Amino acid sequence: MELRADPVVATLDMSEIKGKDGEPSEGDGDYESLPAHASLTIHMTAGAVAGILEHTVMYPVDSVKTRMQSLQPDPKAQYSSVYEGLRRIIRTEGLLRPLRGLNITMLGAGPAHALYFACYEHVKRTLSEVIQNGGNSHIANGLAGCVATVLHDAVMNPAEVVKQRMQMYNSPYRNLLDCVGTIQRTEGLTAFYRSYSTQLAMNIPFQAVHFMSYELMQERLNPHRQYHPGSHVLSGAAAGAVSAAITTPLDVCKTLLNTQENVALSSIHISGHLTGMANAFRTVYRLGGAAAFFKGIQARVIYQMPSTAIAWSVYEFFKYVLTKQQMEREAGPAGPV
């Protein structure tokens, strides 16, 4: 079904932006096509804002998801749904308890997502030129998502470790600094990257499917690649839901490596610290069988759908606004009529 042009569709008609000689400026096209010499600042700024909002708006649901993925949770922290989990946490632990660990998430999300989107746009454009002569290429989109993920996770992984330690029920850490200091003192700096390989093994397929799904939806809903908020929201939500569901088993393993659940590990006589993706897979299966790999899938999908919708809609909005401003500055004032 073809979408009609309507008031909510904002396009950059570059034929209206005149250069100093009264002719259209270079870079004619829509906001997706930045001038070749444009700085990556646009993508990094848009990505940082989008990443922070993505993680903060749905953070309480993420807190519930972390607890629901616990392999042997405390009886007081067993929840049948996201709503029940949030309600019980607020009632028994306080209104702000679902936000514990949000500060480190915001500190990590800004620079991580700035690198993430900037790298994605650059690699996508470069590979598309090679594979599709500048046209949209699903292979280029997927590969760009994978490369961007490696940089994103390198920045975000330590923040994820601290965040999930603080989200757990009866977390022993008083605050952010106490958590960081205790982990470094008792487990060493490597603890902050113990789940990095698993995080990459999860996020590379997640982001490949995510970006390919998003671009595929955009081809159907927004074929002319105009700034269309509704299509960005729908495409982002659909891409997030599909990607989240199929990578839940890896997310469960990542959570185990990050939290190092002492009760669960002790129950199967594992001493010390659990390391490695293969060991995490075996441990999850020993503790709960195949069903354990899908613990928290409901919370994960509920978290990712609006999160990715928010991230893409905010990112596309800022990219549109910043690109328009940059093109108008470069075009200069219109010549005499």
Side-chain angles (χ1 to χ4, degrees):
M1 181 177 68
E2 186 174 348
L3 291 174
R4 294 180 303 166
D6 58 49
V8 301
V9 180
T11 62
L12 271 179
D13 185 356
M14 295 311 299
S15 65
E16 297 178 1
I17 300 179
K18 305 290 185 181
K20 294 181 180 180
D21 57 357
E23 296 298 322
S25 64
E26 290 184 7
D28 295 5
D30 58 32
Y31 84 108
E32 288 282 353
S33 303
L34 293 177
H37 58 282
S39 170
L40 288 179
T41 302
I42 286 177
H43 295 303
M44 296 188 76
T45 303
V49 174
I52 291 172
L53 286 176
E54 172 190 351
H55 284 282
T56 55
V57 172
M58 296 303 296
Y59 189 82
V61 176
D62 185 60
S63 294
V64 176
K65 184 215 72 169
T66 296
R67 293 192 181 192
M68 291 181 76
Q69 288 182 334
S70 176
L71 297 172
Q72 288 195 356
D74 187 286
K76 296 178 181 178
Q78 294 180 346
Y79 316 118
S80 60
S81 68
V82 175
Y83 173 74
E84 185 206 356
L86 277 175
R87 185 172 56 83
R88 285 177 55 187
I89 291 173
I90 292 172
R91 189 181 70 244
T92 61
E93 302 175 52
L95 182 64
L96 298 180
R97 188 62 177 82
L99 299 178
R100 198 159 191 261
L102 178 60
N103 47 4
I104 186 63
T105 301
M106 293 177 66
L107 288 173
H113 279 72
L115 288 173
Y116 174 71
F117 277 106
C119 178
Y120 171 70
E121 293 286 352
H122 178 71
V123 175
K124 180 182 76 169
R125 185 179 295 111
T126 302
L127 292 179
S128 293
E129 289 289 342
V130 175
I131 299 172
Q132 203 79 4
N133 292 324
N136 185 45
S137 167
H138 296 308
I139 295 175
N141 298 334
L143 290 174
C146 294
V147 175
T149 297
V150 174
L151 287 178
H152 170 276
D153 287 357
V155 176
M156 200 65 191
N157 205 87
E160 280 284 315
V161 173
V162 176
K163 178 199 76 173
Q164 292 197 302
R165 295 281 183 108
M166 296 184 72
Q167 286 175 331
M168 293 297 286
Y169 180 74
N170 274 343
S171 174
Y173 310 106
R174 296 188 305 274
N175 52 45
L176 167 61
L177 293 178
D178 179 47
C179 183
V180 172
T182 302
I183 294 173
Q184 192 277 327
R185 187 173 59 255
T186 60
E187 303 176 44
L189 292 175
T190 56
F192 295 106
Y193 283 94
R194 190 177 286 135
S195 64
Y196 184 54
S197 60
T198 304
Q199 182 110 330
L200 285 178
M202 174 185 72
N203 279 343
I204 286 178
F206 176 94
Q207 298 300 352
V209 173
H210 173 199
F211 279 111
M212 291 171 70
S213 300
Y214 180 82
E215 298 288 354
L216 182 62
M217 289 284 289
Q218 283 291 286
E219 282 186 355
R220 300 294 185 269
L221 299 176
N222 189 16
H224 301 297
R225 294 308 178 107
Q226 299 167 339
Y227 173 61
H228 191 297
S231 75
H232 300 316
V233 170
L234 289 175
S235 299
V242 173
S243 305
I246 65 176
T247 55
T248 296
L250 288 161
D251 192 48
V252 172
C253 294
K254 182 208 76 174
T255 298
L256 178 61
L257 289 169
N258 280 346
T259 58
Q260 297 287 314
E261 289 184 68
N262 292 326
V263 175
L265 297 179
S266 298
S267 69
I268 54 175
H269 310 296
I270 293 180
S271 58
H273 303 297
L274 185 68
T275 59
M277 183 171 62
N279 286 332
F281 262 95
R282 284 193 292 268
T283 303
V284 170
Y285 185 77
R286 287 175 63 187
L287 286 166
F293 289 104
F294 293 92
K295 289 175 74 70
I297 186 171
Q298 176 198 51
R300 180 165 164 77
V301 171
I302 290 174
Y303 169 75
Q304 286 293 346
M305 283 186 69
S307 292
T308 49
I310 290 167
W312 277 112
S313 58
V314 171
Y315 174 67
E316 298 284 6
F317 170 76
F318 271 87
K319 188 168 73 171
Y320 168 75
V321 171
L322 293 172
T323 301
K324 183 177 181 180
Q325 291 175 349
Q326 178 176 332
M327 287 180 171
E328 289 174 344
R329 284 196 303 268
E330 292 176 351
V337 178

